Amino acid sequence: MMRIPLSALIGLFFTGLFFLSAIFAPWIAPYDPSAIIGDFWEPISWEHWLGTDNIGRDLLSRMIYGGRTTIFVAAAATVISFTLGTTLAFSAVVIGGWVDMVLSRFIDLIMSIPTLIFALVVLSVVPVTIPVLILVMGLLDLTRVFRLARAVSVDINVMDYVEAAKLRGEKTMWIVFREILPNALSPLVAELGLRFIFMVLFVSTLSFLGLGVQPPDADWGGIVKENKEGLIYGIPAAIVPGIAIAILAISVNLIADWVLSRTASLKGGRNG
Amino acid sequence: MIKLVIQRLALGCLLLLAASALIFFGIEILPGDAAQAVLGRSATAEALANLRAEMGLGRPAIVRYFEWLGGVVRGDLGVALTNGVDITSALADRFSKTLFLAFWAALISVPLAIFLGLLAVRFRDRWPDKMISAITLTLISVPEFIVGYVIMFFVAVKWQLLNPLSIVTANMGVFERLEAILLPVLVLTFVVLAQMMRMTRAAILNVMESAYIETAELKGLSRFEIIARHAFPNSIAPVVNVVMLNMAYLIVGVVVVEVVFNYPGMGQYLVDHVTKRDVPVVQAAGLIFAAVYILFNMFADIISILANPRLRHPK
């Protein structure tokens, strides 16, 4: 029987809560997120659990829909960076030679420019839409996944069973997906969580800078941008998305920690 | 060892060159058109053609790249598309302001991070360690701009201790300027501190768990002697590496923090011109940020070469 530690349970609970509210946003949100239903920056009340925003929309409804956008963009970008990053890295290792060399050096080059700066340079010419945003974030973050996946698979690639598969005459793709991937999965799953958090922070930062999700839609970063003027007058609406981001990030971190420690103990004693 | 250092320097220069090409051609191959981006969708064909000619977009990209690069080397970054201002002079002033901000943030956060890292190692798995790691985990889980607004909200608005916006003017004295940038410095410090402290802790723990530390303990050396003679010299390289890596984080942090506090530095300038789709300015500012990042990474590598006795005295 598998025992889940308390910290991981807390993480799973909150992560689940965020994902469920993202999926079921239209049913949960008490108001239309773009309808003006009151005065601007109304305080917390029974009608509006989190008050209203800078032009009188219900903040809770906007937070639920905003979380939907944030989680969707972050998850989609993570999927891109993961599938491409791991496939490229495993192929590079299995093929080896100059393919590995060229790919690794190119990844080093992209990583030599800070991700945010690179994203800003790219976003200065392309139209900022959600698919473009997902693609840019996914491609830029692929470098980190490539590095990790390459480091993990280099060790696996020299194992006897991979050697045996190669001698059997298996194709590169077969070796990548049937031999390397299953054995590299556990460290990669833990990394998946961390990449997802990074994507959440990344898209929030871009939206906050006005270069991410464009109005009238808003993700959590956009909600901060909309409500930042209120802070000067002592209205904490802009801090609400921050709390949501922090709770989501910490919960996913707790799960990643648990996955990592489980795989570590698995290696320690397989029979235990 | 000198050979290694020279190799690393050469690699740094090569990387800089490659990064400049990446920034230039990256924009070239993307499906957007710089002229269209500046003028917007409603622009007439004539206006577009004029602007394209003005920007020299008709000529091959490779020629324009070398012209641009030649200009960068001579300190000429071209003129901004949106208002025709000379980019070099506009950036120089903002760069010094950003440096001023980053310098103070580094000055406070580096010693503090190393001290806290040591403290966490000294009281490993006891309450000071646990408290420090809980706080730093929270800090790295929150985007920089939220840290900024939370601090602004409490320090400047609720408790009225400082001015929420950092207005720095030319005729301010050093102390007035410091007071104006205190909030952004505080935020940057927090952002960098969390990462740096966690990495310092890991680096020192790694050294403390080495076999030679155990040998020194078994030999009966005092705790102080172990740290001073064995742990400290071996921690220099990893800790310097951590510090340099985080100076690179500082560069990204500074972009966001400047926007939060409306501080007229490089970061705000960059973001502003990305919104205006002013490609020459974005290229120039992006290149400078990338260059600083590459230089920090190069210094980190060189210092760890110098700090490693095996590389210093090759057999």
Side-chain angles (χ1 to χ4, degrees), chain A:
Chain A
M1 188 51 205
M2 192 171 64
R3 257 188 60 242
I4 303 177
L6 181 68
S7 62
L9 273 179
I10 296 174
L12 282 170
F13 172 73
F14 280 106
T15 311
L17 197 71
F18 275 108
F19 272 84
L20 285 178
S21 71
I23 294 166
F24 298 109
W27 291 277
I28 298 174
Y31 296 90
D32 177 352
S34 49
I36 296 168
I37 39 90
D39 212 2
F40 59 90
W41 288 321
E42 273 179 33
I44 293 171
S45 64
W46 277 113
E47 287 81 45
H48 307 295
W49 288 9
L50 292 174
T52 59
D53 77 348
N54 60 330
I55 56 170
R57 294 168 293 195
D58 180 52
L59 190 58
L60 179 65
S61 307
R62 282 189 80 69
M63 280 298 299
I64 292 173
Y65 274 92
R68 192 181 208 196
T69 314
T70 301
I71 289 174
F72 169 69
V73 171
T78 312
V79 168
I80 291 184
S81 84
F82 245 77
T83 38
L84 280 178
T86 45
T87 315
L88 278 178
F90 293 162
S91 310
V93 167
V94 174
I95 299 169
W98 66 269
V99 174
D100 184 22
M101 172 79 181
V102 168
L103 259 177
S104 300
R105 288 295 85 79
F106 187 67
I107 298 284
D108 283 350
L109 171 61
I110 294 182
M111 285 180 85
S112 75
I113 300 175
T115 318
L116 180 68
I117 303 295
F118 206 143
L120 289 182
V121 169
V122 172
L123 290 175
S124 72
V125 281
V126 294
V128 183
T129 58
I130 286 185
V132 168
L133 210 58
I134 292 173
L135 206 63
V136 169
M137 285 168 50
L139 290 180
L140 282 179
D141 199 56
L142 165 168
T143 52
R144 266 84 186 164
V145 179
F146 179 90
R147 275 264 179 101
L148 177 79
R150 193 181 171 280
V152 172
S153 56
V154 159
D155 290 341
I156 299 173
N157 193 41
V158 292
M159 291 289 177
D160 290 340
Y161 51 82
V162 177
E163 190 75 7
K166 280 181 183 163
L167 290 175
R168 270 204 314 272
E170 302 288 1
K171 296 239 165 28
T172 306
M173 281 302 126
W174 199 93
I175 297 176
V176 166
F177 288 108
R178 300 294 291 274
E179 300 289 348
I180 302 216
L181 185 65
N183 289 295
L185 215 51
S186 12
L188 287 177
V189 169
E191 181 70 10
L192 190 74
L194 301 181
R195 294 318 332 151
F196 175 72
I197 298 172
F198 179 80
M199 291 295 191
V200 169
L201 300 186
F202 196 23
V203 70
S204 307
T205 303
L206 284 177
S207 294
F208 165 69
L209 295 176
L211 301 160
V213 178
Q214 298 296 311
D217 292 336
D219 67 339
W220 286 340
I223 295 176
V224 176
K225 188 181 162 67
E226 287 168 357
N227 293 294
K228 64 181 181 186
E229 270 78 29
L231 284 176
I232 310 264
Y233 310 110
I235 294 144
I239 294 177
V240 174
I243 297 169
I245 294 173
I247 293 175
L248 179 62
I250 293 171
S251 322
V252 177
N253 244 323
L254 291 175
I255 301 177
D257 269 358
W258 169 57
V259 173
L260 212 61
S261 67
R262 261 193 68 211
T263 53
S265 64
L266 210 74
K267 273 176 194 150
R270 228 167 244 277
N271 308 322

Side-chain angles (χ1 to χ4, degrees), chain B residues 90-99 251 254-255 258 263-273 281 284-290 292:
Chain B
L91 273 183
D93 174 49
R94 283 163 177 272
F95 188 61
S96 65
K97 285 198 172 117
T98 297
L99 271 186
I251 299 170
V254 100
V255 173
E258 280 179 7
Y263 182 80
M266 278 257 297
Q268 200 211 32
Y269 191 65
L270 173 62
V271 172
D272 211 28
H273 284 78
V281 176
L287 183 67
I288 292 174
F289 274 117
V292 174

Side-chain angles (χ1 to χ4, degrees), chain B residues 29 44 49 60 67 91 98 128 132-133 145 159 171 180 192 219 225 227 234 248 262 274 288 305:
Chain B
I29 54 170
T44 60
E67 277 174 10
L91 273 183
T98 297
I132 293 173
S133 28
F145 61 93
W159 305 330
N171 51 12
V192 186
K219 211 154 70 169
E225 265 180 309
I227 291 175
N234 285 299
N262 243 333
V274 172
I288 292 174
I305 292 172

